[in-house]
Amino acid sequence: MALTRLTRELAVNKELVASVHWDRRYDTSLVVTMQDGTTHHIKHTGGYTGGDDCYDIERKLLDA
């Protein structure tokens, strides 16, 4: 069971990710849904120092 670090506070097992989609209603964020129904909303702050780059996170999750 290898964990993939997505943010400073969040690491997941890629094998247990059920879906990944974008939520652009109010701000740009990536929604990661796990097989058990847990959802993680990650706000894209890639332009700021130390922020979360959701485009990079999406690539990490979708790479086989």
Side-chain angles (χ1 to χ4, degrees):
M1 179 172 94
L3 294 177
T4 302
R5 178 156 305 281
L6 303 182
T7 67
R8 284 186 223 160
E9 296 86 24
L10 179 63
V12 299
N13 183 347
K14 286 181 8 177
E15 296 175 8
L16 299 178
V17 173
S19 69
V20 176
H21 71 274
W22 289 95
D23 182 3
R24 292 187 169 99
R25 284 181 280 179
Y26 303 108
D27 56 11
T28 302
S29 62
L30 188 67
V31 180
V32 179
T33 305
M34 306 302 289
Q35 289 179 357
D36 66 356
T38 305
T39 59
H40 303 286
H41 296 264
I42 305 168
K43 184 176 177 182
H44 178 71
T45 54
Y48 303 103
T49 304
D52 297 319
D53 183 356
C54 286
Y55 298 100
D56 184 49
I57 292 170
E58 181 185 37
R59 272 185 244 111
K60 285 180 187 178
L61 291 174
L62 298 180
D63 284 344

